Amino acid sequence: SIMSELRTNRIVPRDGLPSGSYGGIIQVKHASVGPDNTTYTSSSETTMLTCVITPQRSDSILWIHVEYPTMRSYSQGNTRNLCNHKIKRNGSDIYAVNETPQWRGANFDGGTVEINIPVSFSTFDSPNTTSAVTYTSTWAISSGPGFNTAASVRRMVIFEMAT
């Protein structure tokens, strides 16, 4: 049998890259946790996912995508419930999605209601290094009874793209 490979660390079209575009994906890293069924109520940041990538090029752009297939909450009466999310690079904030999910003024009439909401978000980063970089995503419950992972698998995917 004949085996062949194409190896490259950068893809550039013959006529160059248009402004604001990327030359191709160099590598993809993935991290997942779960399925688990854990309730988080802390207003302090709790690490939900961690993924380490060592960029092949110092001028690469990283696309960091986070997904929580289910964030479950049990609410009762007239309550407000919300969660703040962050993506951090080596412990420093680089992106925030605040108060998502959130409901306010939803009066459940004293009954307990279960609400399940998927949440996903992405950001771009330029770490300007070829050393290992650790990305984390966090939850912080800023109001309400908290959120449960609802036996889902949480994921973070990082794409290194050539510039």
Side-chain angles (χ1 to χ4, degrees):
S1 79
I2 298 173
M3 303 287 287
S4 63
E5 301 181 349
L6 171 63
R7 293 180 183 222
T8 183
N9 66 355
R10 187 168 187 202
I11 301 169
V12 178
R14 180 191 67 208
D15 296 329
L17 291 171
S19 177
S21 64
Y22 305 114
I25 295 174
I26 297 171
Q27 66 173 315
V28 178
K29 290 290 186 172
H30 172 268
S32 63
V33 175
D36 65 355
N37 194 20
T38 305
T39 300
Y40 296 89
T41 60
S42 178
S43 60
S44 298
E45 291 178 355
T46 302
T47 297
M48 302 304 288
L49 291 159
T50 301
C51 189
V52 178
I53 187 169
T54 303
Q56 300 300 302
R57 298 177 51 92
S58 63
D59 62 348
S60 294
I61 300 293
L62 302 182
W63 174 24
I64 301 110
H65 178 74
V66 174
E67 63 182 24
Y68 306 122
T70 304
M71 291 184 68
R72 176 171 53 203
S73 181
Y74 302 99
S75 291
Q76 188 172 22
N78 189 7
T79 61
R80 182 177 188 192
N81 197 15
L82 52 93
C83 182
N84 293 326
H85 306 272
K86 288 186 179 176
I87 295 177
K88 296 174 174 276
R89 178 193 342 114
N90 295 333
S92 296
D93 298 353
I94 62 166
Y95 188 73
V97 179
N98 293 319
E99 300 184 356
T100 303
Q102 174 185 194
W103 48 93
R104 181 179 177 175
N107 191 341
F108 299 114
D109 227 9
T112 300
V113 175
E114 178 181 324
I115 299 171
N116 293 297
I117 300 169
V119 173
S120 63
F121 50 93
S122 297
T123 192
F124 294 95
D125 190 36
S126 303
N128 299 313
T129 186
T130 56
S131 298
V133 181
T134 301
Y135 288 93
T136 55
S137 65
T138 63
W139 283 11
I141 311 305
S142 57
S143 179
F147 289 88
N148 180 282
T149 56
S152 64
V153 176
R154 302 180 302 277
R155 291 182 177 87
M156 179 185 291
V157 183
I158 303 175
F159 301 86
E160 179 182 3
M161 299 177 291
T163 56

